[in-house]
Amino acid sequence: GAVVSQHPSRVICKSGTSVKIECRSLDFQATTMFWYRQFPKKSLMLMATSNEGSKATYEQGVEKDKFLINHASLTLSTLTVTSAHPEDSSFYICSARDSGGLVSYEQYFGPGTRLTVT
Amino acid sequence: KQEVTQIPAALSVPEGENLVLNCSFTDSAIYNLQWFRQDPGKGLTSLLLIQSSQREQTSGRLNASLDKSSGRSTLYIAASQPGDSATYLCAGQGGATNKLIFGTGTLLAVQP
């Protein structure tokens, strides 16, 4: 149980275009999801906390107008990278917290999405 | 502000050796400490989660300990295998923000 999927797994886009990444909890409901970014050979950096039905909370230094987050249902959160530039190229990973789990704070991670902006 | 660091940054050992990975955190007010494995280009696999009331957790050849007072956690891998080669990340959750803060990672290579 506790599976989180991400789509797409890889995406290549041209500079100036927008890209949407989906994060789904497949077998549980998640009122809270998290979006992380990982540069090559670096650790994960939390970008934002996504709460179902409300606005996301962004970490310091993360542009909310650049990285649009929508959490419209208990099983789906989306991250849209708007007007992407080559410096946005990175590995994006989401995680979800099981709302009904016994361990309420445990996060389950998706497989990640590799974004390359040319 | 919670900061998590891991030592060493990289480690290479021959197959069969026992090894210890270290994780230190600055804020002792954590709910839990979690160890993950990440293979190249892949997502995270949760290995062990230690709640703040616990001192250690074991799963197979893996044993993780937590010492909140000293701000340290260790991941012990017994009888290492080439398949254990990966990046190992520790992450602390809790304190004022209740967020998961990741360490810098240890890149482990187990030589056959």
Side-chain angles (χ1 to χ4, degrees):
Chain A
V3 177
V4 176
S5 69
Q6 279 185 244
H7 178 79
S9 58
R10 289 178 176 270
V11 57
I12 301 173
C13 70
K14 292 186 177 180
S15 186
T17 62
S18 296
V19 175
K20 180 185 285 187
I21 303 171
E22 293 185 348
C23 176
R24 292 182 185 274
S25 57
L26 298 185
D27 48 4
F28 64 97
Q29 293 184 331
T31 54
T32 305
M33 291 184 173
F34 303 87
W35 286 96
Y36 296 84
R37 182 174 182 175
Q38 186 178 34
F39 290 104
K41 298 184 179 180
K42 298 293 184 182
S43 191
L44 277 73
M45 299 296 295
L46 179 65
M47 299 175 64
T49 302
S50 170
N51 298 296
E52 186 267 337
S54 64
K55 291 183 179 180
T57 303
Y58 290 82
E59 294 301 298
Q60 190 174 12
V62 178
E63 301 176 57
K64 60 180 67 176
D65 294 331
K66 173 97 176 143
F67 299 100
L68 300 179
I69 291 174
N70 184 279
H71 193 161
S73 78
L74 289 172
T75 59
L76 173 64
S77 176
T78 60
L79 168 68
T80 301
V81 183
T82 62
S83 187
H85 289 94
E87 56 265 32
D88 298 325
S89 298
S90 191
F91 194 53
Y92 293 87
I93 302 177
C94 73
S95 70
R97 184 178 286 167
D98 186 347
S99 306
L102 293 177
V103 183
S104 62
Y105 41 75
E106 186 166 7
Q107 295 181 29
Y108 302 96
F109 285 80
T113 296
R114 173 75 60 192
L115 170 63
T116 303
V117 185
T118 61
Chain B
K1 178 185 176 183
Q2 178 74 277
E3 293 183 5
V4 183
T5 56
Q6 291 183 244
I7 295 174
L11 180 65
S12 180
V13 300
E15 181 177 4
E17 235 181 57
N18 303 324
L19 59 100
V20 175
L21 306 181
N22 297 291
C23 172
S24 62
F25 46 93
T26 55
D27 186 354
S28 62
I30 62 171
Y31 290 167
N32 63 64
L33 193 291
Q34 202 164 355
W35 283 92
F36 296 88
R37 168 186 173 140
Q38 185 176 32
D39 293 290
K42 303 294 183 181
L44 303 182
T45 299
S46 180
L47 298 174
L48 291 164
L49 184 151
I50 312 174
Q51 299 181 38
S52 61
S53 59
Q54 300 172 325
R55 284 195 170 270
E56 64 178 332
Q57 282 286 331
T58 298
S59 176
R61 295 182 292 109
L62 305 180
N63 175 277
S65 67
L66 175 63
D67 185 343
K68 290 181 59 178
S69 61
S70 66
R72 296 173 68 177
S73 175
T74 61
L75 179 66
Y76 175 82
I77 302 178
S80 59
Q81 302 171 358
D84 294 331
S85 299
T87 296
Y88 290 81
L89 295 161
C90 69
Q93 183 171 24
T97 63
N98 200 30
K99 299 172 185 173
L100 202 59
I101 306 298
F102 281 84
T104 47
T106 295
L107 177 60
L108 172 66
V110 180
Q111 308 299 332

